[in-house]
Amino acid sequence: MTVTDSSAGAPTETAAQLEQAVLLRRVRAWLIVFIVGLVLSGVTAFPLVTEVRWGHELLVAWGVETWLPSLVEWFARVREGLEATAADYPFIAYGTDWLAFAHLVIAVAFWGPLRDPVRNIWIIDFGLIACAGIIPLALIAGPIRDIPWGWSLIDMSFGVFGAIPLLLVRRMIKRLELLQADVRPV
């Protein structure tokens, strides 16, 4: 409902409504980016053996071992481990299938804020907590699982880079909430 200013005869809420529309579009755009990232992270957890083989072959083909030998060695080790596990114990990959599924389920949860950001801001908070949780997990589990420090940093970067759009979205949702409260009739 548009309220009119009796002295000017023009709608007074149009600027607020326009800002709401712009904020809503931005929130949805950032959420789509985040959802796509979760889906891609999930889907790529299914074909690990193939992906690591391709990654290792690309690193070798590009001659990366001349300037980053430890990276190529790590890919070779992971490839060997995944191929041996897949050949002898294929059921172990079931764990990464569940990892993939979890990413997809979490992505679905973000449809709530996509539809109604203000009402579902708690999902953004949940996502921020999950992003923060990546850091201690990588710091604790990385050394226990003999993960190289550089790889743990890459893992932690997913939490940092995941939190950036969520922090932006959260700030925009809070502004949207204020604007919606100002427009509601008393």
Side-chain angles (χ1 to χ4, degrees), residues 82 84-97:
L82 285 172
T85 302
D88 297 335
Y89 310 103
F91 54 87
I92 297 293
Y94 194 53
T96 56
D97 294 342

Side-chain angles (χ1 to χ4, degrees), residues 53-77:
R53 179 174 38 84
W54 287 352
H56 180 245
E57 289 172 357
L58 276 174
L59 291 174
V60 170
W62 291 342
V64 174
E65 69 273 359
T66 59
W67 50 282
L68 269 176
S70 59
L71 177 65
V72 178
E73 289 170 15
W74 173 248
F75 261 83
R77 182 172 182 217

Side-chain angles (χ1 to χ4, degrees), residues 6-180:
S6 57
S7 62
T12 58
E13 299 301 320
T14 56
Q17 290 171 339
L18 180 61
E19 187 177 356
Q20 282 184 50
V22 168
L23 280 171
L24 190 57
R25 276 195 304 274
R26 287 181 182 163
V27 164
R28 287 179 173 157
W30 278 111
L31 284 172
I32 288 169
V33 167
F34 190 79
I35 290 168
V36 167
L38 279 169
V39 169
L40 289 175
S41 294
V43 170
T44 59
F46 287 114
L48 283 181
V49 177
T50 303
E51 288 172 340
V52 170
R53 179 174 38 84
W54 287 352
H56 180 245
E57 289 172 357
L58 276 174
L59 291 174
V60 170
W62 291 342
V64 174
E65 69 273 359
T66 59
W67 50 282
L68 269 176
S70 59
L71 177 65
V72 178
E73 289 170 15
W74 173 248
F75 261 83
R77 182 172 182 217
V78 172
R79 178 181 178 176
E80 178 186 341
L82 285 172
E83 287 174 346
T85 302
D88 297 335
Y89 310 103
F91 54 87
I92 297 293
Y94 194 53
T96 56
D97 294 342
W98 280 104
L99 169 72
F101 178 72
H103 277 81
L104 299 174
V105 168
I106 294 167
V108 170
F110 282 88
W111 284 103
L114 196 63
R115 293 178 64 212
D116 187 347
V118 172
R119 187 170 146 207
N120 293 299
I121 194 170
W122 67 272
I123 296 172
I124 305 303
D125 293 336
F126 161 78
L128 285 165
I129 292 166
C131 286
I134 290 171
I135 309 248
L137 176 68
L139 289 172
I140 295 165
I144 292 170
R145 304 289 187 212
D146 289 328
I147 304 297
W149 175 243
W151 204 264
S152 291
L153 288 174
I154 292 169
D155 290 340
M156 287 186 275
S157 75
F158 283 99
V160 173
F161 290 121
I164 291 170
L166 292 179
L167 286 167
L168 292 170
V169 163
R170 190 174 197 294
R171 190 178 79 205
M172 287 185 274
I173 291 172
K174 286 303 206 178
R175 176 69 183 142
L176 190 60
E177 183 179 34
L178 287 172
L179 288 169
Q180 287 177 353

